[in-house]
Amino acid sequence: MSAAALSDAHDALLLDLDGTVWEGGRAILGAVEAIVGSGVAALYVTNNASRAPGVVAEMLRGIGLGADSRDVITSAEAAVELVASRIPAGSRVLVLGSDSFKDIARSAGFDVVDSADAEPAAVLHGHNPATGWAELSEAALAIRAGAVYVASNVDSTLPMERGLMVGNGSMVAAVTHATGVVPDSAGKPAAAMFHSGVRRVGASAPLAVGDRLDTDIAGAVAAGIPSLHVLTGVSGFYDLCAASAEQRPVYVGADMSALGCSAGVLSVGQQGGFSAAVVAQDASGHRVVELSFDADAAGVWAASVPEAQVGSAVNVSPQLCALRTVLAVLWESSAATSVEVRPADDASARALEAWW
């Protein structure tokens, strides 16, 4: 197995923020060190439209990451670009979102209003903790009157220090429920933000990194960019097991330290002495997988792991090796609706304890 780090094979990192690099602005343990240590150009591609790129860059510098506004791509920028292709220049737009979102719309030449009575041509909907019933109602009135509806993103949750808070998608759902209109979404999982990042740095071998299958990873797949999924945010072990082909990452790591691991370690496949087999499935799509452990096979595999990977021990832990082994079996076919993994021995049972 090659000792080369995953980051060595790429010339740009397209990094999600919430749940990947930080939680509510607080750096996730080891993330900053991993990004800096990779030596690879980093772009931050975020669905959170509540802050201007310059503000995000300042926050990144505050946790030890060198960044300026050009290193940040937000879904607010993508949403304004999308709506510009749908309505005439200079049109009135109603923006549900932060002041920075409104500033981006103004900079693009739009007349930002705050009432449906102004007859806006479009409603732009981005995350803002201050959004309430009154703002949502103005949006609903404008959309019912014919305004184009564009959301910066439709993430149902937002990872914060205390846990998963209400995301923009949950607020969008209220407007959709009231109007019957589903917005176009400019952010991930659409591919546009990834393509924009690649063009911005002229990358030929980018790697996308994220914590959420239905946005970060699905967006990378849509853009044709290899991806690394980290288990520090929204999507966990069993989410990966049931992932559809459109949401399957190339690599799976515990956290950002995976950038220092080899592709062979991080790729799905039998490893760590584990083996797996589907032992039952039903018409509803539920699958049962049996996980087994062989100590002799584990020794052979461990000997093949380069010494350079010792610093990333968490990525070769039994629970991660078991996960990649199970995924290799499950991903041979279409997605399961649900998955149950049963241990065949004590070592497998211990590995599965961490999946919860």
Side-chain angles (χ1 to χ4, degrees):
M1 186 182 296
S2 170
L6 178 64
S7 59
D8 292 342
H10 299 279
D11 58 2
L13 301 175
L14 304 179
L15 302 169
D16 173 59
L17 284 174
D18 297 303
T20 301
V21 174
W22 63 29
E23 293 172 323
R26 182 185 65 186
I28 290 173
L29 184 65
V32 172
E33 295 80 1
I35 295 166
V36 173
S38 74
V40 181
L43 280 172
Y44 302 92
V45 183
T46 176
N47 263 4
N48 191 333
S50 65
R51 304 184 185 98
V55 173
V56 175
E58 184 177 3
M59 293 176 64
L60 288 166
R61 292 194 296 272
I63 63 171
L65 291 168
D68 61 35
S69 59
R70 287 283 298 168
D71 299 321
V72 178
I73 300 174
T74 73
S75 59
E77 296 173 294
V80 170
E81 290 180 6
L82 177 58
V83 86
S85 69
R86 303 281 302 277
I87 63 175
S91 296
R92 295 189 185 98
V93 295
L94 175 63
V95 179
L96 271 69
S98 63
D99 289 342
S100 64
F101 197 171
K102 296 174 183 178
D103 289 341
I104 292 171
R106 291 190 185 99
S107 295
F110 293 114
D111 180 10
V112 176
V113 300
D114 58 10
S115 171
D117 293 341
E119 299 181 347
V123 171
L124 287 162
H125 195 164
H127 176 68
N128 184 355
T131 297
W133 175 85
E135 292 79 11
L136 294 172
S137 294
E138 290 298 327
L141 288 168
I143 292 164
R144 282 188 173 277
V148 172
Y149 189 21
V150 173
S152 62
N153 71 88
V154 290
D155 293 11
S156 60
T157 57
L158 179 65
M160 301 290 283
E161 295 96 327
R162 294 171 60 200
L164 296 179
M165 302 295 199
V166 171
N168 194 54
S170 295
M171 303 293 270
V172 166
V175 176
T176 294
H177 188 66
T179 63
V181 177
V182 177
D184 290 329
S185 178
K188 298 175 282 186
M193 295 171 70
F194 292 97
H195 289 154
S196 178
V198 169
R199 289 193 301 269
R200 190 172 293 188
V201 296
S204 59
L207 175 71
V209 187
D211 70 293
R212 190 172 189 133
L213 296 177
D214 61 352
T215 56
D216 306 323
I217 305 306
V221 172
I225 295 172
S227 59
L228 164 66
H229 179 81
V230 291
L231 291 158
T232 50
V234 174
S235 300
F237 290 79
Y238 282 100
D239 297 311
L240 282 159
C241 287
S244 65
E246 295 78 17
Q247 297 182 9
R248 293 173 182 172
V250 177
Y251 308 107
V252 177
D255 51 32
M256 291 293 289
S257 68
L259 292 173
C261 277
S262 69
V265 167
L266 300 168
S267 299
V268 299
Q270 185 172 321
Q271 58 179 246
F274 292 98
S275 60
V278 175
V279 294
Q281 53 187 331
D282 59 31
S284 71
H286 177 74
R287 292 190 186 131
V288 179
V289 177
E290 184 175 82
L291 180 70
S292 303
F293 178 76
D294 184 307
D296 291 335
V300 172
W301 184 83
S304 73
V305 177
E307 291 184 8
Q309 306 308 319
V310 171
S312 300
V314 65
N315 289 292
V316 293
S317 63
Q319 50 265 44
L320 267 294
C321 290
L323 174 62
R324 299 188 194 104
T325 298
V326 169
L327 293 180
V329 172
L330 287 170
W331 289 1
E332 289 178 347
S333 57
S334 59
T337 56
S338 60
V339 174
E340 177 185 355
V341 183
R342 296 175 180 172
D345 46 68
D346 290 343
S348 297
R350 288 192 296 271
L352 292 176
E353 287 176 359
W355 285 33
W356 300 102

